[in-house]
Amino acid sequence: MTSRIDYSVWDHIEVSDDEDDTHPNIDTPSLFKWRHEARVERMDQSIKAGEDLEKGLAECKRKLTEAQKKTKNLSSSVTDDAKAELSKAQAEEKRLKKEERDWEKKLEDHRREEKKMPWSVDTLCKEGFSKSVMNIKPDVKEETEEQKEQKHKTFVEKYEKEIKHFGMMKRWDDSQKYLSDNPHLVCEETANYLVIMCIDLEVEEKKALMEQVAHQTIVMQFVLELAKSLKVDPRGCFRQFFAKIKTADQQYQDAFNDELESFKERVRGRAKIRIERAMKEYEEEERQKRLGPGGLDPAEVYESLPEEMQKCFDEKDIAMLQTVITKLDPTEAKVHMKRCIDSGLWVPNSRADEGDDKEEDATYEELNKEMGEQKIE
């Protein structure tokens, strides 16, 4: 059975409750605020224009009524003066009738334009009853993280060169033409890649390039947000964005620039975190390379030694080390020597210096003997 209800009136509703989720890489409360304020301002201007037209038409009707009364009163007079006044009154009546038709046409045109305007939250949502109704959003099956990651990877492998080219563009017209030639780039995957590209450039300290790509990132984000608010495919509305931004009022331009500056600050923050993480990973790798046979870091063990023992290792003087050990408390000496061996600072029976092998072995045996007498195992 064919439905008799015409649903086409809902096809072009400009609806956004200004609380929709935005892209994770961009903070857009200012954009939501501007969007709502601009919509309300347009409504107010349209309402005021309609009211002015109605007032003008009412005033014209009032004057026409007075002119018609005057014409009627003068038509019964036969004097020359009365005839002259009658002629003027008839001319005025004729002029006011024409003016009335003009006012009516303007008002009709205005109402016709009002009907063509897309509906919005502010025109749809007017209080009819003072009660609350729970509207539960149906469950929508979303892509898993693995699916999103695979989708992004596949897209980037195929279009990475084109995305980078778009990211380096500077002029509005060039960007619009490039997207017209490559509409498949108008999507979340392009925006996500540009965000990562910005962070990479900031890490590499290519700040000027980062700022250029950041500009194109926000262009793509604004297009995606516009498509979301209009509930259309972003490939079908990017031209509207460029048409608007090229002739934008100061408020819209300020909203774009504020979002751009905010995004660049977030990129710098993310890049700083990445650099710090990389430095920590590098330091940990170097530390792992330094670890001795017992799993201790020689640098950390060295810093924990008494100053006298540190001097022994600085000068590589075994005799001095033997003397220092004999002066320490036996338990403390045992702990320090055990940590030195586990960290690799002290290598028993080392053959590193071949010219002094025998002398060092004998000295080490003496050191062991002395430590044995102090009951250090």
Side-chain angles (χ1 to χ4, degrees):
M1 180 183 292
T2 304
S3 175
R4 295 184 179 181
I5 302 176
D6 181 11
Y7 291 99
S8 63
V9 294
W10 301 97
D11 290 343
H12 304 289
I13 302 177
E14 183 185 352
V15 174
S16 172
D17 61 3
D18 302 315
E19 295 177 0
D20 295 337
D21 293 334
T22 60
H23 191 275
N25 295 309
I26 180 170
D27 181 20
T28 56
S30 58
L31 178 60
F32 284 144
K33 180 181 178 183
W34 171 86
R35 185 187 298 157
H36 181 262
E37 289 179 350
R39 187 165 58 240
V40 172
E41 184 179 349
R42 290 197 303 270
M43 286 174 53
D44 291 342
Q45 290 174 350
S46 178
I47 292 171
K48 186 176 184 302
E51 291 175 348
D52 290 343
L53 289 172
E54 289 176 353
K55 288 179 181 178
L57 178 59
E59 180 65 16
C60 181
K61 286 181 178 293
R62 184 188 65 79
K63 291 180 178 179
L64 178 59
T65 301
E66 292 179 354
Q68 287 174 336
K69 288 180 179 179
K70 186 176 181 182
T71 301
K72 185 177 180 180
N73 293 334
L74 290 172
S75 62
S76 59
S77 300
V78 293
T79 63
D80 293 338
D81 291 339
K83 289 180 179 180
E85 286 294 325
L86 177 59
S87 178
K88 290 181 181 179
Q90 288 174 337
E92 179 67 10
E93 181 182 352
K94 183 178 179 181
R95 185 187 68 80
L96 288 171
K97 283 182 177 180
K98 182 179 181 304
E99 187 176 327
E100 181 185 32
R101 288 193 297 272
D102 291 340
W103 279 110
E104 288 175 343
K105 185 177 184 305
K106 289 179 181 178
L107 185 58
E108 183 181 352
D109 291 342
H110 175 74
R111 288 171 177 169
R112 188 181 301 111
E113 289 300 317
E114 274 190 329
K115 290 180 180 179
K116 291 180 181 180
M117 290 177 63
W119 294 358
S120 69
V121 170
D122 301 286
T123 54
L124 288 173
C125 301
K126 294 184 179 180
E127 183 178 5
F129 302 94
S130 296
K131 67 176 181 179
S132 299
V133 178
M134 294 296 293
N135 185 15
I136 301 174
K137 185 177 181 180
D139 294 335
V140 179
K141 186 177 181 181
E142 296 183 356
E143 293 179 322
T144 64
E145 289 301 320
E146 292 78 8
Q147 290 173 328
K148 289 180 180 178
E149 184 177 349
Q150 184 57 45
K151 182 180 179 182
H152 176 79
K153 182 180 178 181
T154 303
F155 184 85
V156 170
E157 288 175 351
K158 190 173 182 180
Y159 300 114
E160 184 174 18
K161 183 178 179 180
E162 289 91 336
I163 298 172
K164 286 183 176 180
H165 186 76
F166 173 75
M168 296 299 175
M169 289 184 163
K170 295 182 179 180
R171 299 177 65 248
W172 297 117
D173 291 337
D174 292 341
S175 296
Q176 182 177 352
K177 185 179 184 305
Y178 192 73
L179 291 180
S180 296
D181 296 337
N182 302 274
H184 53 274
L185 296 182
V186 188
C187 61
E188 290 280 352
E189 286 72 32
T190 295
N192 292 339
Y193 183 86
L194 290 175
V195 170
I196 297 170
M197 188 176 172
C198 286
I199 298 173
D200 289 342
L201 290 171
E202 181 67 18
V203 169
E204 296 168 10
E205 297 187 349
K206 298 177 180 178
K207 301 186 181 298
L209 278 178
M210 183 279 285
E211 293 190 356
Q212 176 56 43
V213 177
H215 179 275
Q216 295 300 89
T217 305
I218 299 304
V219 167
M220 187 59 64
Q221 294 290 1
F222 264 61
V223 171
L224 295 175
E225 289 299 327
L226 177 61
K228 192 174 182 179
S229 67
L230 297 176
K231 300 187 184 303
V232 297
D233 190 309
R235 292 172 294 182
C237 72
F238 69 88
R239 293 178 182 82
Q240 291 176 250
F241 165 76
F242 286 107
K244 187 173 185 63
I245 196 68
K246 287 188 286 187
T247 59
D249 55 25
Q250 192 60 41
Q251 189 177 18
Y252 188 78
Q253 191 66 52
D254 289 345
F256 182 91
N257 292 335
D258 289 346
E259 191 61 41
L260 175 58
E261 291 304 316
S262 178
F263 174 70
K264 287 191 287 189
E265 282 301 313
R266 291 196 297 278
V267 167
R268 295 184 185 104
R270 291 284 295 276
K272 183 178 179 182
I273 292 172
R274 185 192 286 185
I275 292 171
E276 290 174 352
R277 185 186 300 120
M279 289 299 297
K280 288 180 181 178
E281 291 175 355
Y282 173 77
E283 291 171 359
E284 182 59 26
E285 288 176 3
E286 291 299 307
R287 179 179 174 277
Q288 291 295 328
K289 292 177 183 178
R290 293 195 305 264
L291 295 183
L296 298 182
D297 184 348
E300 294 177 0
V301 171
Y302 175 84
E303 293 297 329
S304 70
L305 295 175
E307 187 176 346
E308 295 82 357
M309 288 189 70
Q310 289 182 359
K311 187 176 181 181
C312 297
F313 284 103
D314 291 341
E315 299 181 6
K316 300 181 180 179
D317 191 328
I318 297 176
M320 184 189 300
L321 178 61
Q322 181 180 355
T323 302
V324 172
I325 288 295
T326 60
K327 293 179 180 180
L328 292 176
D329 177 79
T331 303
E332 183 183 357
K334 177 181 177 181
V335 171
H336 285 313
M337 288 309 299
K338 178 70 168 58
R339 284 169 56 78
C340 288
I341 293 171
D342 289 344
S343 67
L345 276 176
W346 178 264
V347 183
N349 298 320
S350 173
R351 301 293 179 181
D353 300 319
E354 294 181 0
D356 299 325
D357 284 349
K358 293 181 180 179
E359 181 180 351
E360 286 189 12
D361 286 346
T363 305
Y364 181 68
E365 290 298 326
E366 291 177 4
L367 182 59
N368 279 344
K369 181 179 179 183
E370 185 69 24
M371 292 171 63
E373 291 174 357
Q374 296 176 6
K375 297 181 181 181
I376 298 179
E377 297 178 357

